[in-house]
Amino acid sequence: MNIPIARSDIHIHLSEEHISILFGDSHKLHNIKDLTIPGQFVCSERVIVTGPEGSIEDVVVVGPARRETQVEISITNGLSLGITPPVRMSGNLENTPGCILIGPLGSVSLKKGVIASKRHIHMHTNQAREWNLSDGQSVCVKVPGSRALIFDEVIMRVGEDQAQEMHVDFDEGHAAGITDFQSVEIIP
Ligand SMILES: [Zn+2]
């Protein structure tokens, strides 16, 4: 059971309300690159993320707009910002820290929404059925190479709208010497 892996750098998902504040009324995000997961894309828009101890500039916005704004950072990014992000699945934002977002036309003081994304695997329902894997299941994944590593606690995200790809952040990627889109092995 081999799948491609990719590293996610710091990025942000924005609500319509926050897009308007940061980039102007009824602003529409500009797609400059489609991501592997259908419907998800890298935008030309950039924001500054600010925490109590520092800022990170040029943070990529990933579209489309979401119901809630979510800032995905690594633990290392958190050290620069002075924020300790809890490790969460996307969308699970209760009791998470906030930050300040600065765009070209305004700023937003977020009360919550900063997380370190829990490592996960996107998979289409048909492939998951073939391999007997289910949504929400936790699996291990073996990364080969000179820094070979077995990741435990990798959560399956199975759906009809999914493509096949494992996502880790840059800290996890560096720890395992990962090259984007290399193949890794699922160990149920
Ligand atoms: Zn993902």
Side-chain angles (χ1 to χ4, degrees), residues 135-169:
D135 187 51
Q137 181 181 354
S138 171
V139 296
C140 292
V141 171
K142 185 174 184 185
V143 181
S146 55
R147 302 189 96 183
L149 192 65
I150 294 176
F151 285 115
D152 198 349
E153 288 279 322
V154 183
I155 306 299
M156 297 297 306
R157 289 182 63 178
V158 176
E160 293 291 345
D161 56 347
Q162 296 286 4
Q164 194 153 296
E165 195 165 77
M166 175 167 169
H167 288 158
V168 293
D169 70 19

Side-chain angles (χ1 to χ4, degrees), residues 62-131:
V62 171
R66 289 204 179 177
R67 195 173 56 81
E68 277 192 300
T69 292
Q70 173 171 302
V71 185
E72 298 185 33
I73 68 174
S74 68
I75 304 298
T76 301
N77 296 145
L79 293 174
S80 310
L81 297 169
I83 296 172
T84 304
V87 177
R88 294 284 182 88
M89 290 298 285
S90 182
N92 180 7
L93 303 181
E94 283 316 306
N95 299 312
T96 56
C99 66
I100 293 169
L101 304 177
I102 302 167
L105 292 182
S107 66
V108 172
S109 180
L110 277 185
K111 296 282 172 283
K112 62 175 183 179
V114 181
I115 62 169
S117 179
K118 192 169 173 70
R119 47 194 178 236
H120 58 274
I121 294 171
H122 298 268
M123 190 172 287
H124 191 274
T125 313
N126 294 342
Q127 181 66 76
R129 195 178 296 124
E130 193 177 310
W131 286 348

